Amino acid sequence: MGDGDRSAFSAESRKRGLDNIVVKPGLEGPTFDYLLTKARLGLISLHSDLRTQNVPGRLLSYLNAGLPTVASIILNCQLFELFSESKCGLA
């Protein structure tokens, strides 16, 4: 779920036979809030070429929902520092 490039992820999932993965576009408002009540984990995956400081808004949503959060990000970015200092998730 999100606004990133879903095509490569979808193709790789199909190639590996992972039929339990559903890739959705970004969700807003009540639909997103409802989904968070059913989730067990918050996942953040930022493109490795992203070099600007970036803390996705969804992190706040995950934390507000009490979800443990895992992030796939580059070292030494603002989000990595936040995770390291606050111990709010794994990066």
Side-chain angles (χ1 to χ4, degrees), residues 12-41:
E12 185 66 24
S13 297
R14 283 191 305 275
K15 181 175 122 183
R16 293 175 181 241
L18 302 173
D19 56 2
N20 62 341
I21 294 177
V22 178
V23 180
K24 299 276 191 184
L27 301 173
E28 301 280 333
T31 304
F32 182 71
D33 294 339
Y34 174 76
L35 182 63
L36 290 179
T37 68
K38 302 300 179 189
R40 295 184 182 166
L41 176 76

Side-chain angles (χ1 to χ4, degrees), residues 8-89:
F9 184 78
S10 294
E12 185 66 24
S13 297
R14 283 191 305 275
K15 181 175 122 183
R16 293 175 181 241
L18 302 173
D19 56 2
N20 62 341
I21 294 177
V22 178
V23 180
K24 299 276 191 184
L27 301 173
E28 301 280 333
T31 304
F32 182 71
D33 294 339
Y34 174 76
L35 182 63
L36 290 179
T37 68
K38 302 300 179 189
R40 295 184 182 166
L41 176 76
L43 178 63
I44 297 173
S45 178
L46 300 179
H47 195 283
S48 61
D49 289 342
L50 185 63
R51 301 289 180 205
T52 61
Q53 299 297 352
N54 188 338
V55 176
R58 69 189 128 165
L59 174 61
L60 298 177
S61 298
Y62 295 160
L63 294 175
N64 189 49
L67 292 173
T69 303
V70 175
S72 173
I73 54 179
I74 62 170
L75 294 176
N76 301 320
C77 71
Q78 188 177 22
L79 186 56
F80 181 82
E81 292 171 11
L82 177 66
F83 272 52
S84 298
E85 292 172 9
S86 68
K87 298 182 177 32
C88 68

